[in-house]
Amino acid sequence: MTGDRTWDLAVQPTPLHLRTSQFNVANRWTDELGWTLPSVYSSIASEHAALRNACTMSDLTALATYSLRGADVGSYLNRLAGGTAGTVKVGASRRAVMCDDRGGLIAEGVVMRADTADWKLTLPVRCLDWLTLSARGFDCDIEDVSDHVCAFAVEGPSSCAALLAAGFAGLEALRPGGVRQLKVGSAGVTVMRRSATGGLGYEVRCAVSDALFVFDRTRRGAELFRPVLAGEQVRSLARLEAGHCRLRTDYESALIAREVDRRSPLELGLGHLVNLDVGPFTGKAALVRQKREGAHRALVGIELDGASLPEGRLLSMSTEIVGRISSLGWSPARKRIIGLADVRAASLGVNRQLSATGSDGRPVSARIVPRPFYVCPNAHRTPPDAH
Amino acid sequence: MTQPNNSFDVAIVGGGHNGLVAAALLSKAGQRVVLCEASSRLGSATTATTLLPGMRVPQCAHVVSGFPMALIRKLKLKRHGLAILQKNMPRVALDPDGRHIPLGSSLKASREAIFHWSSRDAEAWSKFSAKLDALTAAVTPLYRGQAPQLMPEAFSDKLAWIRHYVRERRRGRSSFQDLLKLMPSNVADFLDLALETDLLKGALALEASLGSYHGPSAPGSMFYWSWQRASEASGRGGALQVEGGPAGLTDALASAATSTGAELRVSSPVASIMVQNERTTGIVLENGDEIAAPCVISTISPKTTYLDLVGAGELDAGLVRDIENIRMRGTSAKVNLALKQLPAFAKADETLLAGRLLLAPGLMDVERASNGQKYGALPHLPVMEVTIPSVLDESLTPEGRHVLSATIPFVPFEVDGGWDTAAGKLSQQVIKTLGEYAPDLPDLIMAQETLTPPEIESRCGIEKADWHQGEIAFDQALMMRPTPQLANNNGPLKGLFVGGAGSHPGGGLTGRPAVNAADAALHYIKEQRR
């Protein structure tokens, strides 16, 4: 791709840039992994409403995509990510967490397998070095295909119906996490039923050369469902509502994190993604030790009283500071201020009455609440309810 | 299927001196031990080679440097045929004109010899030696036993650090200052500041850099020297000469091990180490035989042990990277000669020639010799350490005949133009250099053998010809050896211990890594049975 880039910019435009710039009324941009992405297209409120009640489309290019080939991909992925990532069946996908030797979370990603030999790993961080390093002793070739794959998401309650209308035949039968290869016109696409926003959603991947064609075709075909383009900010808010912890916001990749910022999957509530009972994987010994000895910190969901965001980020219990709020936002779905906070394990359970400092300097009461903040039953139904 | 006779308590990979020490110690402690050696004979670096019928010479190592006398007593090696011909083998700075300087035998003798060169140096010699000995004394306690813990948790481990610190502080301010100042510095500066006699400096610089990749001007070379001196000092007997060469030691060790029931198998290359649930369960030989043993001690290099025998997939990825990054680069070649008679070194009697002869005209000659190998070139003027073991050892040669063994440092593993032509050139240069010291020597040669670094690897099984199985430098010593995660036999795989030169305290015929591994293995076995 490097050769035929028509843009000579430090921050690279995505394959969908012609469309994202065309619809970006607010002209607010952000960058992720070196890609230019719209931050807000029109307004957060309208985008969020569409995401939760109708249908949105967004550019997903800001993910590093790695293609894995070889005879040992399954065992390689098991060793790389929690002992479970390699168990993905053909036509399925699963979330996976990569840890370093000391059990620090490097990133949470998704492994998808469209075909027997077609394994893809998507991550919110580039770490080809770590992936290659982990491949020693395995027959597994790793290639960074981020520049060759275009990805966009179609999300919201009516996303299934919208995609069906756009010609993605048979999608209603796709189970959560399922992956299917389809033809849209002459272009081959891979659709995965998975959304980080907590509701129903699909990720569509195609070759960069087909990007605009597939995107336009989807948008026009789904015209009846009025797909709204959703920017990074609203996606970020939706992911918070879904209770997902986010790289660079709620945790830092262990490959670059300072010692105090290192977090293990157990501390972040991702313990279900590692299997401590199976064969060796990177970080297993450290995680087993942590499980035995107990983690010192935990990432928890919190709800705050009031309608204005608090000033400070520190959480205190009576006079003692017990943690730090890592992400915060007004949840239109919950009609409350919600957030994720990194708190000391000792302060869990005994007395959940916490407080933060409000914008007026007064304490704002906060409660630890179970995640996720937003649950959409439709996300788990097959076929999903039509909207 | 595992045969009943293929089930042991401990399986040892590698039949070098370390493997044999571990086998002897563990079988003495009542364990059922099997040792598997890939080549057809035991001994690895200590084997002897027959140049002509009846004329044997140590193939690689030519002195038993730093083997603990306590271990000899414990394993009753003298009863198993070990005959020590001399202890504290002296070094000699050899001079073509006969003004040799004996080093190490007695302070007085050295001082008198130095007087012929420089009265200033003769005066400074005692002070210089004391300074050097203080440095050695500072690291010797670290050399013995396990290395202190990198991150001590138990109080006793913390106390070990405190004890080392207090011991050094009690020597007084200037001694402590010297330790901190000199340990990271280099040999060349240290010598230049203290002495002026070039021959003396050259010999000391050669002594300091034998077995090291770097020359005497490299930072950290002082540490390497102190570490090597500590290896000799900690053994109580210094460098030993053993009847039959170092092979005499391994023969005695093998005999001690078999007498207590250890099974020593030669021509049994190990294909892999079996691991289940992060525990070793045994080894698989290349012929497919499985040997079940809950405890495995590997005395081959940690790199091969973990990456090839265990497999990278069993380890954390970061650990694999650290193991891959262990620097192994041996740069020593050997030239072994069979001689018609004792060559005529000027003004040298047999007592002098029984020592370790250091052939280095000056400090800069050692430094210059060390330069070429970094770029794949042979040293123009090789420096070398020479022994003539047959002076004291009559078992090696017929009456009147002699064998000479020369260790040449700074020979690159991969040489420009390939070893086919370079090997001959190297032996020519070595013999020419020897001829400058003993003019009749080139005419006395009956047979000769040149071992280039690749040949040392293939014939003696010393990976990369590095007898330390990983360079000895600050970052690869003590609790960082072989890597911080694996130090003190505290690796992630239970039941697997690394007892070769690659683990603390390092190479040389000390047997100490094996003693440490055997201790750890016994501890592990006891814990398992509890």
Side-chain angles (χ1 to χ4, degrees), chain A residues 74-87 94-99 107 109 111 121 123 130-131 134 273-275 278 280-282:
Chain A
S75 44
Y76 164 76
L77 281 169
N78 279 337
R79 147 63 164 4
L80 174 79
T84 59
T87 56
R94 83 181 287 153
R95 285 163 74 194
V97 286
M98 296 196 310
C99 298
V111 177
L121 172 65
L123 292 167
W130 181 261
L131 299 179
S134 301
L273 297 178
V274 294
N275 186 351
V278 297
F281 61 84
T282 303

PDB file of all heavy atoms in Angstrom, chain A residues 74-87 94-99 107 109 111 121 123 130-131 134 273-275 278 280-282:
ATOM      1  N   GLY A  74      -2.966 -22.590  15.929  1.00  0.00           N
ATOM      2  CA  GLY A  74      -3.796 -22.818  17.113  1.00  0.00           C
ATOM      3  C   GLY A  74      -2.970 -22.852  18.385  1.00  0.00           C
ATOM      4  O   GLY A  74      -3.251 -22.124  19.344  1.00  0.00           O
ATOM      5  N   SER A  75      -1.918 -23.670  18.394  1.00  0.00           N
ATOM      6  CA  SER A  75      -1.116 -23.762  19.615  1.00  0.00           C
ATOM      7  C   SER A  75      -0.333 -22.472  19.852  1.00  0.00           C
ATOM      8  O   SER A  75      -0.105 -22.069  20.992  1.00  0.00           O
ATOM      9  CB  SER A  75      -0.171 -24.961  19.557  1.00  0.00           C
ATOM     10  OG  SER A  75       0.444 -25.044  18.313  1.00  0.00           O
ATOM     11  N   TYR A  76       0.031 -21.811  18.754  1.00  0.00           N
ATOM     12  CA  TYR A  76       0.699 -20.514  18.906  1.00  0.00           C
ATOM     13  C   TYR A  76      -0.209 -19.533  19.639  1.00  0.00           C
ATOM     14  O   TYR A  76       0.204 -18.860  20.587  1.00  0.00           O
ATOM     15  CB  TYR A  76       1.082 -19.965  17.529  1.00  0.00           C
ATOM     16  CG  TYR A  76       1.424 -18.501  17.516  1.00  0.00           C
ATOM     17  CD1 TYR A  76       2.650 -18.049  17.990  1.00  0.00           C
ATOM     18  CD2 TYR A  76       0.509 -17.550  17.060  1.00  0.00           C
ATOM     19  CE1 TYR A  76       2.963 -16.704  17.999  1.00  0.00           C
ATOM     20  CE2 TYR A  76       0.803 -16.208  17.065  1.00  0.00           C
ATOM     21  CZ  TYR A  76       2.032 -15.788  17.533  1.00  0.00           C
ATOM     22  OH  TYR A  76       2.338 -14.443  17.551  1.00  0.00           O
ATOM     23  N   LEU A  77      -1.477 -19.467  19.203  1.00  0.00           N
ATOM     24  CA  LEU A  77      -2.391 -18.502  19.816  1.00  0.00           C
ATOM     25  C   LEU A  77      -2.693 -18.882  21.262  1.00  0.00           C
ATOM     26  O   LEU A  77      -2.808 -18.014  22.130  1.00  0.00           O
ATOM     27  CB  LEU A  77      -3.683 -18.422  19.010  1.00  0.00           C
ATOM     28  CG  LEU A  77      -3.579 -17.581  17.735  1.00  0.00           C
ATOM     29  CD1 LEU A  77      -4.810 -17.783  16.874  1.00  0.00           C
ATOM     30  CD2 LEU A  77      -3.424 -16.106  18.075  1.00  0.00           C
ATOM     31  N   ASN A  78      -2.786 -20.174  21.536  1.00  0.00           N
ATOM     32  CA  ASN A  78      -2.998 -20.593  22.927  1.00  0.00           C
ATOM     33  C   ASN A  78      -1.867 -20.120  23.814  1.00  0.00           C
ATOM     34  O   ASN A  78      -2.086 -19.633  24.917  1.00  0.00           O
ATOM     35  CB  ASN A  78      -3.084 -22.121  23.006  1.00  0.00           C
ATOM     36  CG  ASN A  78      -4.456 -22.618  22.629  1.00  0.00           C
ATOM     37  OD1 ASN A  78      -5.432 -21.872  22.723  1.00  0.00           O
ATOM     38  ND2 ASN A  78      -4.545 -23.851  22.197  1.00  0.00           N
ATOM     39  N   ARG A  79      -0.657 -20.300  23.328  1.00  0.00           N
ATOM     40  CA  ARG A  79       0.500 -19.893  24.116  1.00  0.00           C
ATOM     41  C   ARG A  79       0.560 -18.371  24.239  1.00  0.00           C
ATOM     42  O   ARG A  79       0.895 -17.809  25.268  1.00  0.00           O
ATOM     43  CB  ARG A  79       1.743 -20.450  23.440  1.00  0.00           C
ATOM     44  CG  ARG A  79       3.048 -19.703  23.479  1.00  0.00           C
ATOM     45  CD  ARG A  79       3.638 -19.505  24.815  1.00  0.00           C
ATOM     46  NE  ARG A  79       5.028 -19.123  24.880  1.00  0.00           N
ATOM     47  CZ  ARG A  79       5.879 -18.848  23.960  1.00  0.00           C
ATOM     48  NH1 ARG A  79       5.553 -18.964  22.704  1.00  0.00           N
ATOM     49  NH2 ARG A  79       7.097 -18.475  24.229  1.00  0.00           N
ATOM     50  N   LEU A  80       0.158 -17.681  23.129  1.00  0.00           N
ATOM     51  CA  LEU A  80       0.251 -16.217  23.105  1.00  0.00           C
ATOM     52  C   LEU A  80      -0.782 -15.600  24.035  1.00  0.00           C
ATOM     53  O   LEU A  80      -0.491 -14.654  24.772  1.00  0.00           O
ATOM     54  CB  LEU A  80       0.024 -15.727  21.677  1.00  0.00           C
ATOM     55  CG  LEU A  80      -0.048 -14.218  21.473  1.00  0.00           C
ATOM     56  CD1 LEU A  80       1.353 -13.646  21.468  1.00  0.00           C
ATOM     57  CD2 LEU A  80      -0.758 -13.875  20.187  1.00  0.00           C
ATOM     58  N   ALA A  81      -1.997 -16.111  23.986  1.00  0.00           N
ATOM     59  CA  ALA A  81      -3.096 -15.395  24.632  1.00  0.00           C
ATOM     60  C   ALA A  81      -3.929 -16.314  25.496  1.00  0.00           C
ATOM     61  O   ALA A  81      -4.879 -16.935  25.046  1.00  0.00           O
ATOM     62  CB  ALA A  81      -3.957 -14.723  23.559  1.00  0.00           C
ATOM     63  N   GLY A  82      -3.542 -16.423  26.736  1.00  0.00           N
ATOM     64  CA  GLY A  82      -4.400 -16.998  27.760  1.00  0.00           C
ATOM     65  C   GLY A  82      -4.784 -18.448  27.627  1.00  0.00           C
ATOM     66  O   GLY A  82      -5.677 -18.917  28.312  1.00  0.00           O
ATOM     67  N   GLY A  83      -4.138 -19.198  26.743  1.00  0.00           N
ATOM     68  CA  GLY A  83      -4.449 -20.613  26.626  1.00  0.00           C
ATOM     69  C   GLY A  83      -5.772 -20.899  25.950  1.00  0.00           C
ATOM     70  O   GLY A  83      -6.179 -22.049  25.852  1.00  0.00           O
ATOM     71  N   THR A  84      -6.482 -19.872  25.492  1.00  0.00           N
ATOM     72  CA  THR A  84      -7.806 -20.107  24.943  1.00  0.00           C
ATOM     73  C   THR A  84      -7.954 -19.625  23.506  1.00  0.00           C
ATOM     74  O   THR A  84      -8.843 -20.089  22.802  1.00  0.00           O
ATOM     75  CB  THR A  84      -8.863 -19.362  25.772  1.00  0.00           C
ATOM     76  OG1 THR A  84      -8.538 -17.969  25.752  1.00  0.00           O
ATOM     77  CG2 THR A  84      -8.892 -19.850  27.199  1.00  0.00           C
ATOM     78  N   ALA A  85      -7.092 -18.713  23.095  1.00  0.00           N
ATOM     79  CA  ALA A  85      -7.320 -18.045  21.814  1.00  0.00           C
ATOM     80  C   ALA A  85      -7.248 -18.996  20.634  1.00  0.00           C
ATOM     81  O   ALA A  85      -7.855 -18.757  19.606  1.00  0.00           O
ATOM     82  CB  ALA A  85      -6.302 -16.923  21.634  1.00  0.00           C
ATOM     83  N   GLY A  86      -6.511 -20.086  20.788  1.00  0.00           N
ATOM     84  CA  GLY A  86      -6.346 -20.994  19.660  1.00  0.00           C
ATOM     85  C   GLY A  86      -7.483 -21.989  19.527  1.00  0.00           C
ATOM     86  O   GLY A  86      -7.486 -22.816  18.624  1.00  0.00           O
ATOM     87  N   THR A  87      -8.459 -21.934  20.433  1.00  0.00           N
ATOM     88  CA  THR A  87      -9.535 -22.926  20.387  1.00  0.00           C
ATOM     89  C   THR A  87     -10.693 -22.482  19.497  1.00  0.00           C
ATOM     90  O   THR A  87     -11.727 -23.127  19.476  1.00  0.00           O
ATOM     91  CB  THR A  87     -10.067 -23.175  21.806  1.00  0.00           C
ATOM     92  OG1 THR A  87     -10.468 -21.907  22.357  1.00  0.00           O
ATOM     93  CG2 THR A  87      -9.008 -23.768  22.697  1.00  0.00           C
ATOM     94  N   ARG A  94     -13.295 -15.121  18.903  1.00  0.00           N
ATOM     95  CA  ARG A  94     -13.359 -14.988  20.360  1.00  0.00           C
ATOM     96  C   ARG A  94     -12.410 -13.901  20.828  1.00  0.00           C
ATOM     97  O   ARG A  94     -11.428 -13.579  20.173  1.00  0.00           O
ATOM     98  CB  ARG A  94     -13.117 -16.312  21.057  1.00  0.00           C
ATOM     99  CG  ARG A  94     -11.704 -16.731  21.272  1.00  0.00           C
ATOM    100  CD  ARG A  94     -11.641 -18.082  21.950  1.00  0.00           C
ATOM    101  NE  ARG A  94     -12.015 -18.023  23.360  1.00  0.00           N
ATOM    102  CZ  ARG A  94     -12.532 -19.054  24.033  1.00  0.00           C
ATOM    103  NH1 ARG A  94     -12.780 -20.190  23.431  1.00  0.00           N
ATOM    104  NH2 ARG A  94     -12.792 -18.944  25.316  1.00  0.00           N
ATOM    105  N   ARG A  95     -12.755 -13.327  21.964  1.00  0.00           N
ATOM    106  CA  ARG A  95     -11.875 -12.308  22.541  1.00  0.00           C
ATOM    107  C   ARG A  95     -10.682 -13.005  23.155  1.00  0.00           C
ATOM    108  O   ARG A  95     -10.773 -14.135  23.619  1.00  0.00           O
ATOM    109  CB  ARG A  95     -12.617 -11.517  23.628  1.00  0.00           C
ATOM    110  CG  ARG A  95     -13.602 -10.530  23.070  1.00  0.00           C
ATOM    111  CD  ARG A  95     -14.566 -10.106  24.145  1.00  0.00           C
ATOM    112  NE  ARG A  95     -13.951  -9.189  25.106  1.00  0.00           N
ATOM    113  CZ  ARG A  95     -14.501  -8.889  26.285  1.00  0.00           C
ATOM    114  NH1 ARG A  95     -15.654  -9.425  26.631  1.00  0.00           N
ATOM    115  NH2 ARG A  95     -13.907  -8.040  27.093  1.00  0.00           N
ATOM    116  N   ALA A  96      -9.572 -12.322  23.139  1.00  0.00           N
ATOM    117  CA  ALA A  96      -8.367 -12.935  23.676  1.00  0.00           C
ATOM    118  C   ALA A  96      -7.536 -11.868  24.360  1.00  0.00           C
ATOM    119  O   ALA A  96      -7.543 -10.708  23.942  1.00  0.00           O
ATOM    120  CB  ALA A  96      -7.562 -13.568  22.546  1.00  0.00           C
ATOM    121  N   VAL A  97      -6.859 -12.246  25.424  1.00  0.00           N
ATOM    122  CA  VAL A  97      -5.979 -11.291  26.095  1.00  0.00           C
ATOM    123  C   VAL A  97      -4.544 -11.783  26.025  1.00  0.00           C
ATOM    124  O   VAL A  97      -4.268 -12.945  26.268  1.00  0.00           O
ATOM    125  CB  VAL A  97      -6.373 -11.068  27.572  1.00  0.00           C
ATOM    126  CG1 VAL A  97      -7.622 -10.230  27.656  1.00  0.00           C
ATOM    127  CG2 VAL A  97      -6.558 -12.371  28.301  1.00  0.00           C
ATOM    128  N   MET A  98      -3.653 -10.882  25.656  1.00  0.00           N
ATOM    129  CA  MET A  98      -2.236 -11.216  25.608  1.00  0.00           C
ATOM    130  C   MET A  98      -1.565 -10.645  26.838  1.00  0.00           C
ATOM    131  O   MET A  98      -1.764  -9.475  27.167  1.00  0.00           O
ATOM    132  CB  MET A  98      -1.569 -10.564  24.400  1.00  0.00           C
ATOM    133  CG  MET A  98      -2.063 -11.028  23.066  1.00  0.00           C
ATOM    134  SD  MET A  98      -0.915 -10.550  21.783  1.00  0.00           S
ATOM    135  CE  MET A  98      -0.658  -8.853  22.099  1.00  0.00           C
ATOM    136  N   CYS A  99      -0.787 -11.459  27.492  1.00  0.00           N
ATOM    137  CA  CYS A  99      -0.056 -10.975  28.663  1.00  0.00           C
ATOM    138  C   CYS A  99       1.437 -11.086  28.410  1.00  0.00           C
ATOM    139  O   CYS A  99       1.868 -11.863  27.567  1.00  0.00           O
ATOM    140  CB  CYS A  99      -0.377 -11.817  29.881  1.00  0.00           C
ATOM    141  SG  CYS A  99      -2.081 -11.749  30.323  1.00  0.00           S
ATOM    142  N   ALA A 107      -2.649  -6.376  25.531  1.00  0.00           N
ATOM    143  CA  ALA A 107      -3.815  -5.856  24.829  1.00  0.00           C
ATOM    144  C   ALA A 107      -4.889  -6.925  24.811  1.00  0.00           C
ATOM    145  O   ALA A 107      -4.611  -8.116  24.948  1.00  0.00           O
ATOM    146  CB  ALA A 107      -3.469  -5.454  23.399  1.00  0.00           C
ATOM    147  N   GLY A 109      -7.700  -8.427  22.363  1.00  0.00           N
ATOM    148  CA  GLY A 109      -8.017  -8.419  20.939  1.00  0.00           C
ATOM    149  C   GLY A 109      -9.054  -9.454  20.591  1.00  0.00           C
ATOM    150  O   GLY A 109      -9.674 -10.048  21.475  1.00  0.00           O
ATOM    151  N   VAL A 111      -9.692 -12.835  18.030  1.00  0.00           N
ATOM    152  CA  VAL A 111      -9.189 -13.814  17.072  1.00  0.00           C
ATOM    153  C   VAL A 111     -10.371 -14.265  16.238  1.00  0.00           C
ATOM    154  O   VAL A 111     -11.402 -14.631  16.786  1.00  0.00           O
ATOM    155  CB  VAL A 111      -8.598 -15.037  17.796  1.00  0.00           C
ATOM    156  CG1 VAL A 111      -8.159 -16.077  16.783  1.00  0.00           C
ATOM    157  CG2 VAL A 111      -7.438 -14.626  18.664  1.00  0.00           C
ATOM    158  N   LEU A 121      -5.981 -11.856  13.677  1.00  0.00           N
ATOM    159  CA  LEU A 121      -5.954 -11.347  15.037  1.00  0.00           C
ATOM    160  C   LEU A 121      -6.022  -9.837  14.954  1.00  0.00           C
ATOM    161  O   LEU A 121      -5.218  -9.210  14.271  1.00  0.00           O
ATOM    162  CB  LEU A 121      -4.647 -11.783  15.722  1.00  0.00           C
ATOM    163  CG  LEU A 121      -4.332 -11.202  17.087  1.00  0.00           C
ATOM    164  CD1 LEU A 121      -5.346 -11.658  18.110  1.00  0.00           C
ATOM    165  CD2 LEU A 121      -2.935 -11.624  17.542  1.00  0.00           C
ATOM    166  N   LEU A 123      -6.053  -6.214  17.018  1.00  0.00           N
ATOM    167  CA  LEU A 123      -5.621  -5.682  18.308  1.00  0.00           C
ATOM    168  C   LEU A 123      -5.689  -4.163  18.268  1.00  0.00           C
ATOM    169  O   LEU A 123      -5.527  -3.564  17.208  1.00  0.00           O
ATOM    170  CB  LEU A 123      -4.173  -6.089  18.580  1.00  0.00           C
ATOM    171  CG  LEU A 123      -3.888  -7.552  18.823  1.00  0.00           C
ATOM    172  CD1 LEU A 123      -2.408  -7.798  18.754  1.00  0.00           C
ATOM    173  CD2 LEU A 123      -4.445  -7.978  20.159  1.00  0.00           C
ATOM    174  N   TRP A 130       6.260  -8.387  19.410  1.00  0.00           N
ATOM    175  CA  TRP A 130       5.902  -9.366  20.439  1.00  0.00           C
ATOM    176  C   TRP A 130       5.315 -10.623  19.805  1.00  0.00           C
ATOM    177  O   TRP A 130       5.610 -11.743  20.233  1.00  0.00           O
ATOM    178  CB  TRP A 130       4.915  -8.729  21.420  1.00  0.00           C
ATOM    179  CG  TRP A 130       4.522  -9.667  22.514  1.00  0.00           C
ATOM    180  CD1 TRP A 130       3.383 -10.408  22.589  1.00  0.00           C
ATOM    181  CD2 TRP A 130       5.285 -10.000  23.689  1.00  0.00           C
ATOM    182  NE1 TRP A 130       3.386 -11.173  23.724  1.00  0.00           N
ATOM    183  CE2 TRP A 130       4.535 -10.940  24.415  1.00  0.00           C
ATOM    184  CE3 TRP A 130       6.527  -9.585  24.169  1.00  0.00           C
ATOM    185  CZ2 TRP A 130       4.995 -11.475  25.613  1.00  0.00           C
ATOM    186  CZ3 TRP A 130       6.975 -10.127  25.362  1.00  0.00           C
ATOM    187  CH2 TRP A 130       6.213 -11.057  26.064  1.00  0.00           C
ATOM    188  N   LEU A 131       4.495 -10.422  18.768  1.00  0.00           N
ATOM    189  CA  LEU A 131       3.879 -11.577  18.109  1.00  0.00           C
ATOM    190  C   LEU A 131       4.942 -12.451  17.463  1.00  0.00           C
ATOM    191  O   LEU A 131       4.905 -13.673  17.537  1.00  0.00           O
ATOM    192  CB  LEU A 131       2.874 -11.108  17.051  1.00  0.00           C
ATOM    193  CG  LEU A 131       1.691 -10.282  17.565  1.00  0.00           C
ATOM    194  CD1 LEU A 131       0.802  -9.881  16.409  1.00  0.00           C
ATOM    195  CD2 LEU A 131       0.885 -11.064  18.578  1.00  0.00           C
ATOM    196  N   SER A 134       6.938 -14.333  20.015  1.00  0.00           N
ATOM    197  CA  SER A 134       6.201 -15.473  20.570  1.00  0.00           C
ATOM    198  C   SER A 134       6.148 -16.641  19.607  1.00  0.00           C
ATOM    199  O   SER A 134       5.807 -17.741  19.999  1.00  0.00           O
ATOM    200  CB  SER A 134       4.778 -15.051  20.923  1.00  0.00           C
ATOM    201  OG  SER A 134       4.804 -14.012  21.864  1.00  0.00           O
ATOM    202  N   LEU A 273     -11.202 -14.674  30.240  1.00  0.00           N
ATOM    203  CA  LEU A 273     -10.539 -14.870  28.942  1.00  0.00           C
ATOM    204  C   LEU A 273      -9.234 -15.655  29.067  1.00  0.00           C
ATOM    205  O   LEU A 273      -8.581 -15.929  28.073  1.00  0.00           O
ATOM    206  CB  LEU A 273     -10.268 -13.523  28.276  1.00  0.00           C
ATOM    207  CG  LEU A 273     -11.511 -12.719  27.924  1.00  0.00           C
ATOM    208  CD1 LEU A 273     -11.136 -11.387  27.320  1.00  0.00           C
ATOM    209  CD2 LEU A 273     -12.404 -13.496  26.982  1.00  0.00           C
ATOM    210  N   VAL A 274      -8.820 -15.961  30.284  1.00  0.00           N
ATOM    211  CA  VAL A 274      -7.638 -16.816  30.431  1.00  0.00           C
ATOM    212  C   VAL A 274      -8.064 -18.112  31.111  1.00  0.00           C
ATOM    213  O   VAL A 274      -8.966 -18.112  31.939  1.00  0.00           O
ATOM    214  CB  VAL A 274      -6.505 -16.149  31.262  1.00  0.00           C
ATOM    215  CG1 VAL A 274      -5.945 -14.970  30.535  1.00  0.00           C
ATOM    216  CG2 VAL A 274      -6.977 -15.768  32.637  1.00  0.00           C
ATOM    217  N   ASN A 275      -7.428 -19.182  30.716  1.00  0.00           N
ATOM    218  CA  ASN A 275      -7.720 -20.470  31.316  1.00  0.00           C
ATOM    219  C   ASN A 275      -6.467 -20.966  32.022  1.00  0.00           C
ATOM    220  O   ASN A 275      -5.520 -21.410  31.392  1.00  0.00           O
ATOM    221  CB  ASN A 275      -8.150 -21.456  30.227  1.00  0.00           C
ATOM    222  CG  ASN A 275      -8.597 -22.771  30.810  1.00  0.00           C
ATOM    223  OD1 ASN A 275      -8.437 -23.005  32.008  1.00  0.00           O
ATOM    224  ND2 ASN A 275      -9.175 -23.617  29.982  1.00  0.00           N
ATOM    225  N   VAL A 278      -5.086 -24.872  31.606  1.00  0.00           N
ATOM    226  CA  VAL A 278      -4.531 -25.525  30.424  1.00  0.00           C
ATOM    227  C   VAL A 278      -3.038 -25.250  30.307  1.00  0.00           C
ATOM    228  O   VAL A 278      -2.468 -24.510  31.116  1.00  0.00           O
ATOM    229  CB  VAL A 278      -5.255 -25.072  29.135  1.00  0.00           C
ATOM    230  CG1 VAL A 278      -6.694 -25.488  29.183  1.00  0.00           C
ATOM    231  CG2 VAL A 278      -5.104 -23.590  28.945  1.00  0.00           C
ATOM    232  N   PRO A 280       0.944 -24.458  28.928  1.00  0.00           N
ATOM    233  CA  PRO A 280       1.677 -23.225  29.191  1.00  0.00           C
ATOM    234  C   PRO A 280       1.268 -22.092  28.260  1.00  0.00           C
ATOM    235  O   PRO A 280       1.000 -22.307  27.094  1.00  0.00           O
ATOM    236  CB  PRO A 280       3.132 -23.627  28.928  1.00  0.00           C
ATOM    237  CG  PRO A 280       3.048 -24.779  27.991  1.00  0.00           C
ATOM    238  CD  PRO A 280       1.793 -25.496  28.331  1.00  0.00           C
ATOM    239  N   PHE A 281       1.152 -20.903  28.803  1.00  0.00           N
ATOM    240  CA  PHE A 281       1.021 -19.708  27.980  1.00  0.00           C
ATOM    241  C   PHE A 281       1.749 -18.585  28.682  1.00  0.00           C
ATOM    242  O   PHE A 281       2.008 -18.659  29.896  1.00  0.00           O
ATOM    243  CB  PHE A 281      -0.442 -19.359  27.710  1.00  0.00           C
ATOM    244  CG  PHE A 281      -1.266 -19.063  28.922  1.00  0.00           C
ATOM    245  CD1 PHE A 281      -1.271 -17.806  29.491  1.00  0.00           C
ATOM    246  CD2 PHE A 281      -2.053 -20.049  29.493  1.00  0.00           C
ATOM    247  CE1 PHE A 281      -2.035 -17.534  30.602  1.00  0.00           C
ATOM    248  CE2 PHE A 281      -2.815 -19.784  30.618  1.00  0.00           C
ATOM    249  CZ  PHE A 281      -2.812 -18.520  31.173  1.00  0.00           C
ATOM    250  N   THR A 282       2.100 -17.584  27.907  1.00  0.00           N
ATOM    251  CA  THR A 282       2.913 -16.514  28.459  1.00  0.00           C
ATOM    252  C   THR A 282       2.168 -15.814  29.592  1.00  0.00           C
ATOM    253  O   THR A 282       1.046 -15.353  29.412  1.00  0.00           O
ATOM    254  CB  THR A 282       3.274 -15.518  27.357  1.00  0.00           C
ATOM    255  OG1 THR A 282       3.939 -16.223  26.327  1.00  0.00           O
ATOM    256  CG2 THR A 282       4.184 -14.422  27.891  1.00  0.00           C
TER     257      THR A 282
END
